[in-house]
Amino acid sequence: MSNQAHVIKTRLPDPPPSVDKLLGAVRSAIEELKGKDAVEIDVRGKSSVTDYMVVVSGTSTRHVKSIADEVVKFAKGLGVMPLGVEGEREAEWVLVDLADVIVHVMLPRVREFYALERLWTVGDQPPGDDEAEEAEQAQ
């Protein structure tokens, strides 16, 4: 039994689309397939790998895979081929690497377990903000 590896040829158009345009395409793809609770995290200055991470939930493994496929389709519409797509087989967490934007499409339980939003936003709020928010909510 021989399985051929799924090879994605990477290609960026010349000139590549702006990060804003790429983020817009990702947003559109997520909206098109009704992804849940999308969050964009600016990781410039925190990571040398990418500028933005987008985390979004799907309601089932089929939904997760479909959202990831739609992100790839919309990126290709800009002439951007993904640098990689990981996790499609299990489809509990599919990562789509578009260079300047990395998209994580996850089942809610997987998203809650790994808490990527917390990981990448720790230290973004000045000290004491949490206490002020808690005091406001208590009133």
Side-chain angles (χ1 to χ4, degrees):
M1 177 167 119
S2 86
N3 285 338
Q4 290 185 345
H6 181 71
V7 176
I8 296 176
K9 295 181 181 177
T10 60
R11 176 177 57 87
L12 289 174
D14 189 24
S18 69
V19 173
D20 289 336
K21 202 170 204 178
L22 192 53
L23 273 172
V26 168
R27 281 185 210 115
S28 297
I30 290 169
E31 288 172 16
E32 183 78 21
L33 287 184
K34 299 185 181 4
K36 306 289 183 192
D37 305 317
V39 175
E40 295 173 12
I41 305 167
D42 184 344
V43 294
R44 293 175 292 187
K46 295 179 186 178
S47 172
S48 60
V49 174
T50 191
D51 290 340
Y52 285 89
M53 288 197 186
V54 177
V55 183
V56 63
S57 295
T59 57
S60 66
T61 54
R62 181 173 287 184
H63 191 213
V64 166
K65 184 169 179 352
S66 295
I67 293 168
D69 289 345
E70 196 75 357
V71 167
V72 170
K73 181 175 124 186
F74 274 61
K76 285 181 178 178
L78 293 177
V80 175
M81 297 296 287
L83 299 178
V85 179
E86 298 291 331
E88 288 181 297
R89 176 181 263 193
E90 294 80 19
E92 291 185 351
W93 176 357
V94 179
L95 180 144
V96 180
D97 186 347
L98 302 172
D100 292 333
V101 178
I102 294 178
V103 183
H104 299 271
V105 188
M106 309 167 96
L107 289 175
R109 66 177 168 76
V110 175
R111 184 173 178 176
E112 185 178 336
F113 181 79
Y114 287 100
L116 293 181
E117 292 98 324
R118 264 187 299 172
L119 176 70
W120 285 102
T121 58
V122 167
D124 282 353
Q125 296 178 341
D129 277 5
D130 291 340
E131 293 167 8
E133 273 184 34
E134 288 173 12
E136 283 180 22
Q137 289 176 356
Q139 293 177 353

